């Protein structure tokens, strides 16, 4: 860990306080501890926390912080699951939660300018009157910030049809690590230059801090139908997923839950899921009335050829909401199993879904761990969740070993490290499993253009460089109602 | 377990590019003067050719960059799928379309071509094969160098092979004409694939389930026509989607997208923060050996 002396900390605090005011700079132990972790199982301690109110305060905070040679970490709502917002090397946390305004809506152009702290679902609510919404919908959408979505290139159930965050970001105003401000991308159709906007999205705070974002808004579909399909055999559920895609249908969402997931979810959310099924699929189709009805019929047909037990189509909006309530609260329900959980995020080819799922059960059994699976089956995005009790000695280490084996099994099947949670700290040291030294050196070169001194969220994504001894595994991620996937 | 090795065809391409001296890359040469002329006397190479694997169940295709788009389209159609790269010319190659980074006239419906790219293997300025992105339809593993490469005109690296996201071939694909205000069409129609406006009338492309296309055509009183209008190729402007209604002169505008096609040459807009863009080029190609003379930053 970088050691900073009391005098150095005082000098930095004084400069920030003078520039931003005392209310914007937090140094007390409790607040530093709170901002030392996100929703992952990792934590560290920031030297202080800055809560800027606008872009100019972000720029000032970055300029002063890096002027002191000190790293900084941008933070939205702290819902990240890969440790991306954990402040290493005594970094200053710059939290954008106060910058949460919707600045401008262009209804004809279907775009909006927002500040990074605006919450994902708040944005959709605020543009709902125009018949528009922001399409990426991570399960944490009630609390996660748009800036965090940009940093992690977030997904969500509806990204199957609508694409992930990058496809919905037009421009980003960024404060670079030297404190200067640049605009990446633009709201016209073809801004000139390299697509630095695309590079910035998903860079997990290592290139700078977004202070304004232009987002694409999507028209609300006129008709939405949601189906619940349940199966006696997981293989039949997976075959239905592949069958739907092979039939040329692209549902708005295609989610799967295994038996253990259904049991805990139903006991918690009372969504009306059949608890004796081995697998449950939640399928949503949207669009125009005639096409939607046709798609619903064809999906039911595919399911029937794969021995579906029941096909339930939500009769009204209330029933539809109930079906989604189960899915979106799945991880709150996990609290019923054990006090802690560790959630994984990998993607595998759809054809390998059942094979990798079986391997996940095997891995969990071998380590004597409980695992449930609730995931974005349509795009092969697995979310195995291991529940455990961190108070039992050796348990946390066991969970992390199992996690690595799950990552390896996914890559073996032709998959990738992360579908939507990012690399952060959690998977940084796995990057070599997917990329060669040359690949990683190239990524690092690009990063160094923006941040030559490596002060913007240091030691994330790319392995190597300065080792950080100050990040520790925390006791675990407490399962509860505020848990998402 | 281990990294997938690069196939020999890609290794050979990397050797061909080499690590020293100026080198250019040519695809179908349909936009060969875009961003400036390749410095005279520069030797040029071409990317490997061929569709490697199309997996309809995964909705992905792995294809070599030198493959003509028409060949890819034929190959995918056999599996009931497509990749809407939609180049202007039949000579265009997959790698060429991506390096130019311009979407076709179906961008309103299918998004920008960059959003179709899942993985890119390219040769960097050191002559090394670099892989970025991943082969699955969803992936956030590391920096998104794929998007950096799309639209880079081969100035940061030469694309060798890509994995693209496929779409199902629509049940029907039909062009219509309408005299209705284009902005009204845009807000009224649900997910039109293209609206091309010439200042007087609009050509509308609807794709998808036959029942949906009929339903919308009836509702908006659209007249069936054989195909899209003649699109001028000389100039290409980029405006905010909401400014299309105010355009003057002779043009065909992509409503809801903001690309305006003109029959007179137009200058590209100046690049925002050009120094940062130039620094990316300088860092990835310090000697300026890749496609010298061609310039992305304005």
């Amino acid at each position: 860990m970088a050691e900073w002396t009391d005098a150095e900390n005082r000098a930095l605090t004084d400069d920030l306080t003078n520039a931003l005011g005392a209310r914007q700079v937090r140094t007390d132990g409790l607040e530093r501890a709170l901002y030392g972790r996100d929703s992952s199982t990792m934590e560290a301690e920031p030297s202080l926390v800055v809560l800027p109110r606008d872009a100019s305060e972000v720029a000032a905070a970055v300029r002063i912080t890096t002027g002191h040679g000190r790293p900084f970490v941008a933070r939205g709502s702290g819902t990240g699951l890969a440790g991306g917002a954990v402040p290493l090397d005594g970094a200053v946390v710059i939290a954008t939660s106060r910058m949460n305004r919707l600045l401008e809506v262009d209804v004809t152009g279907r775009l909006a300018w927002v500040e990074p702290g605006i919450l994902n679902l708040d944005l959709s609510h605020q543009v709902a009157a125009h018949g528009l919404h922001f399409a990426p919908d991570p399960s944490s959408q009630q609390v996660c910030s748009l800036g965090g979505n940009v940093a992690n290139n977030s997904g969500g159930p509806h990204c199957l049809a609508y694409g992930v965050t990058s496809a919905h970001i037009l421009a980003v105003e960024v404060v670079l690590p030297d404190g200067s401000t640049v605009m990446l991308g633009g709201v016209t159709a073809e801004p000139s230059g390299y697509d630095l906007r695309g590079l910035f999205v998903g860079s997990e705070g290592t290139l700078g801090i977004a202070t304004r974002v232009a987002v694409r808004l999507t028209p609300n579909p006129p008709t939405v139908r949601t189906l619940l399909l349940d199966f006696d055999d997981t293989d039949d559920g997976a075959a239905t997923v592949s069958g739907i895609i092979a039939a040329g249908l692209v549902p708005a969402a295609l989610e799967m839950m295994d038996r253990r997931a259904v049991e805990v979810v139903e006991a918690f959310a009372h969504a009306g899921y059949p608890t004796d099924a081995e697998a449950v699929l939640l399928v949503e189709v949207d669009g125009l009335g005639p096409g939607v009805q046709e798609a619903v019929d064809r999906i039911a047909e595919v399911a029937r050829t794969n021995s579906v037990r029941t096909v339930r189509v939500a009769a009204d909006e209330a029933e539809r909401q109930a079906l989604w309530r189960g899915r979106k609260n799945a991880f709150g329900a996990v609290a019923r199993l054990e006090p802690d959980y560790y959630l994984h995020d990998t993607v595998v080819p759809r054809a390998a879904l059942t094979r990798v799922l079986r391997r996940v059960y095997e891995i969990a059994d071998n380590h004597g761990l409980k695992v449930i699976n609730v995931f974005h089956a349509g795009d092969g995005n697995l979310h195995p969740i291991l529940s455990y009790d961190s108070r039992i000695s050796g348990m946390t280490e066991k969970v992390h070993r199992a996690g690595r084996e799950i990552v390896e099994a996914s890559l073996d099947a032709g998959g990738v490290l992360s579908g939507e949670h990012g690399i952060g700290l959690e998977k940084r040291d796995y990057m070599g499993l997917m990329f060669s030294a040359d690949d990683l050196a190239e990524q690092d070169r690009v990063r160094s253009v923006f941040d030559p001194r490596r002060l913007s969220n240091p030691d994330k994504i790319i392995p190597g460089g300065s080792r950080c001894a100050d990040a520790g595994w925390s006791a675990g991620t407490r399962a509860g109602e505020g848990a998402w996937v | 377990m281990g990294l997938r090795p690069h196939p020999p065809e890609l290794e050979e391409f990397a050797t061909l590019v080499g690590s020293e001296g100026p080198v250019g890359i040519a695809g179908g040469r349909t936009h060969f003067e875009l961003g400036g002329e390749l410095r005279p006397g520069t030797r040029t190479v071409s990317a490997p050719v061929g569709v490697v694997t199309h997996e309809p169940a995964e909705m992905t295709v792995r294809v070599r960059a030198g493959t003509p788009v028409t060949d890819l389209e034929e190959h995918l159609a056999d599996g009931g799928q497509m990749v809407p790269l939609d180049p202007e010319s039949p000579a265009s190659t997959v790698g060429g379309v991506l390096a130019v980074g311009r979407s076709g006239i179906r961008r309103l419906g299918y998004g920008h071509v960059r959003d179709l790219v899942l993985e890119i293997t390219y040769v960097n300025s050191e002559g090394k094969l670099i892989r970025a992105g991943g082969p699955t339809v969803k992936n956030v593993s590391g920096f998104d160098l794929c998007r950096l490469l799309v639209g880079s005109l081969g100035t940061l690296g030469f694309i060798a092979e890509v994995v693209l996201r496929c779409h199902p071939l629509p049940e029907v694909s039909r062009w219509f004409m309408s005299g209705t205000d284009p902005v009204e069409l845009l807000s009224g129609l649900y997910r039109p694939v293209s609206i091309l406006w010439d200042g007087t009338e609009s050509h509308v492309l609807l794709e998808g389930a036959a029942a949906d296309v009929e339903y919308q055509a009836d509702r908006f009183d659209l007249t069936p026509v054989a195909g899209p209008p003649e699109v001028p190729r000389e100039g290409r402007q980029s405006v905010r989607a909401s400014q299309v209604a105010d355009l003057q002169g002779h043009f065909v505008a992509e409503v809801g997208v903001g690309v305006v096609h003109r029959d007179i040459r137009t200058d590209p807009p100046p690049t925002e923060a050009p120094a940062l863009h130039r620094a990316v080029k300088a860092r990835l190609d310090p000697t300026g050996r890749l496609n010298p003379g061609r310039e992305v930053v304005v």
Side-chain angles (χ1 to χ4, degrees), chain A residues 243-315:
Chain A
I244 290 170
I245 303 294
L249 296 160
V250 183
L254 181 40
E255 302 284 306
M256 187 159 164
M257 279 165 271
D258 68 5
R259 183 188 187 115
R260 279 182 263 190
V262 171
E263 280 169 4
V264 291
V265 165
E266 186 53 27
F268 179 80
H270 310 293
Y273 295 167
T275 50
D276 56 342
E278 280 303 315
V280 166
L281 290 184
L282 195 58
V283 191
E284 188 155 285
V285 195
D286 65 15
L288 293 161
V292 165
Q293 188 52 50
E294 220 173 273
V296 166
D297 294 343
R298 287 174 68 196
I299 287 165
E301 198 182 302
V302 171
R304 275 192 286 271
T305 34
N306 288 295
S307 317
V308 68
R309 295 196 322 180
T310 45
V311 175
R312 177 174 154 202
V313 183

Side-chain angles (χ1 to χ4, degrees), chain B residues 9-296:
Chain B
E9 295 89 339
L10 301 199
E11 296 286 2
E12 280 163 29
F13 178 55
T15 307
L16 192 64
V17 174
S19 57
E20 280 174 30
V23 57
I25 185 164
R29 295 180 184 256
T30 62
H31 291 76
F32 211 54
E33 277 77 45
L34 195 67
E37 216 174 304
L38 189 65
R39 193 190 298 155
T42 306
R43 76 184 169 97
T44 58
V45 296
S46 296
V49 177
V51 177
V52 183
T53 41
H54 173 215
E55 301 194 43
E58 306 301 328
M59 296 187 79
T60 58
V61 61
R62 180 179 293 276
V63 59
R64 301 265 153 83
T67 312
V69 174
T70 47
D71 289 5
L72 173 65
E73 283 169 353
E74 273 174 38
H75 191 107
L76 295 177
D78 291 343
Q81 296 186 350
M82 63 169 185
V83 178
L85 294 175
D86 299 349
E88 293 166 6
S89 160
S92 294
T93 62
V94 172
V97 170
L98 297 177
V100 167
R102 287 180 172 177
S103 306
I105 55 173
R106 292 193 293 175
R107 176 169 164 186
L108 179 63
Y110 294 104
H112 196 283
V113 290
R114 64 185 173 230
D115 295 326
L116 298 168
V117 181
L118 303 171
E119 181 187 283
I120 291 187
T121 307
Y122 65 97
V123 182
N124 73 359
S125 67
E126 295 174 349
K128 288 176 177 163
L129 283 168
I130 304 295
R131 187 151 47 202
T136 53
V137 291
K138 201 171 179 189
N139 172 39
V140 277
S141 307
F143 291 91
D144 194 345
L145 303 186
C146 296
R147 281 184 172 73
L148 196 56
L149 266 284
V150 174
S152 69
L153 290 177
T155 59
L156 302 180
F158 291 173
I159 303 175
E161 184 180 280
V162 294
V163 178
L164 302 174
R165 182 183 191 145
C166 304
H167 286 263
L169 275 173
E171 191 187 337
V172 298
S173 171
R174 227 168 271 160
W175 282 96
F176 300 90
M177 272 187 81
S178 170
T180 306
D181 177 73
V183 174
E184 226 172 277
L185 284 174
L186 177 68
S187 59
L189 288 167
Y190 182 67
R191 301 186 97 172
V193 172
S194 189
I195 301 176
L196 302 178
W197 189 60
D198 63 7
T200 316
E201 288 190 304
S202 295
H203 277 71
V204 177
L205 177 63
L206 299 179
E207 294 189 342
D212 284 351
V213 171
E214 268 165 44
Y215 169 79
Q216 297 220 89
D218 277 355
R219 223 175 129 214
F220 286 86
D221 202 18
L222 306 176
T223 313
V225 290
E230 194 67 38
V231 177
R233 302 284 183 219
E234 269 305 302
R236 190 171 169 110
Q237 276 177 300
S238 179
V239 300
R240 260 181 101 138
S242 49
Q243 294 166 338
V244 163
D246 307 324
L247 290 169
Q248 302 291 326
H250 181 61
F251 64 86
V252 170
E254 296 180 34
V255 179
V257 174
V259 172
V260 185
H261 305 268
R262 298 264 191 194
D263 56 4
I264 43 165
R265 276 198 101 82
T266 50
D267 291 326
T271 308
E272 288 261 4
L276 186 63
H277 290 252
R278 292 207 174 92
V280 171
K281 165 70 176 173
R283 191 78 181 85
L284 293 189
D285 181 18
T287 63
R289 64 182 295 258
L290 300 178
N291 265 355
R294 302 192 67 179
E295 182 69 74
V296 170

Side-chain angles (χ1 to χ4, degrees), chain A residues 104 106 110 160 166 189-190 192 194 197 206 291 349-351 379 381 412 418 420 434 439 442-443 448, chain B residues 3 57-58 107 114 122 124 131 138 140 143 147 155 165 186 212 236 238 240 242 269 271 277 283:
Chain A
E104 181 198 331
D106 174 350
R110 288 179 181 156
L160 176 60
S166 183
E190 294 177 334
S192 77
Y194 297 111
R197 168 215 65 87
T206 61
R350 271 180 285 256
D379 37 33
N381 192 178
D412 267 345
S418 169
E420 54 185 13
M434 191 168 154
D439 300 340
E442 189 92 339
Q443 294 194 16
S448 71
Chain B
L3 293 172
E58 306 301 328
R107 176 169 164 186
R114 64 185 173 230
Y122 65 97
N124 73 359
R131 187 151 47 202
K138 201 171 179 189
V140 277
F143 291 91
R147 281 184 172 73
T155 59
R165 182 183 191 145
L186 177 68
D212 284 351
R236 190 171 169 110
S238 179
R240 260 181 101 138
S242 49
T271 308
H277 290 252
R283 191 78 181 85

Side-chain angles (χ1 to χ4, degrees), chain A residues 151-381:
Chain A
N152 291 294
N153 195 10
S154 301
H158 289 82
C159 290
L160 176 60
Y162 293 94
V164 293
T165 297
S166 183
H168 302 274
I169 301 299
L170 301 167
V172 194
E173 180 187 81
V174 175
V175 172
L176 297 175
D178 65 2
S180 63
T181 299
V182 293
M183 182 66 75
L184 310 180
V187 293
T188 57
E190 294 177 334
S192 77
Y194 297 111
D195 184 14
L196 302 186
R197 168 215 65 87
L199 179 70
F200 187 84
V201 177
S203 63
E204 303 191 37
T206 61
L207 304 182
I209 301 186
T211 47
R212 262 195 323 151
V213 184
V215 299
R216 180 194 309 286
L217 299 173
T218 302
N220 297 339
T223 310
V224 181
R225 301 292 290 281
T226 305
L227 294 88
L228 190 84
L229 311 170
D230 64 277
F231 301 86
D232 277 330
D233 190 330
T234 312
D235 287 5
D236 289 330
T240 302
V241 172
S242 296
I244 290 170
I245 303 294
L249 296 160
V250 183
L254 181 40
E255 302 284 306
M256 187 159 164
M257 279 165 271
D258 68 5
R259 183 188 187 115
R260 279 182 263 190
V262 171
E263 280 169 4
V264 291
V265 165
E266 186 53 27
F268 179 80
H270 310 293
Y273 295 167
T275 50
D276 56 342
E278 280 303 315
V280 166
L281 290 184
L282 195 58
V283 191
E284 188 155 285
V285 195
D286 65 15
L288 293 161
V292 165
Q293 188 52 50
E294 220 173 273
V296 166
D297 294 343
R298 287 174 68 196
I299 287 165
E301 198 182 302
V302 171
R304 275 192 286 271
T305 34
N306 288 295
S307 317
V308 68
R309 295 196 322 180
T310 45
V311 175
R312 177 174 154 202
V313 183
D316 52 27
E317 184 58 22
E319 191 178 357
R320 181 182 162 255
Q321 291 293 347
L323 292 180
W324 274 110
R325 192 167 57 241
R327 168 62 184 89
K328 293 216 171 188
N329 285 302
F331 292 82
V334 168
R336 305 232 157 189
L337 295 177
E338 296 276 5
D340 305 290
Y341 72 83
Y342 188 24
L343 166 62
H344 291 267
D345 165 47
T346 64
V347 186
V348 300
R350 271 180 285 256
L353 267 180
T354 36
R355 184 155 48 92
V356 178
L357 266 183
R358 250 181 246 127
R359 182 75 191 116
V360 167
Y361 291 132
E362 250 172 54
I363 291 166
D365 287 348
N366 290 346
H367 290 280
L369 296 164
K370 288 181 191 142
V371 64
I372 72 166
N373 287 284
V374 181
F375 59 99
H376 312 307
D379 37 33
N381 192 178

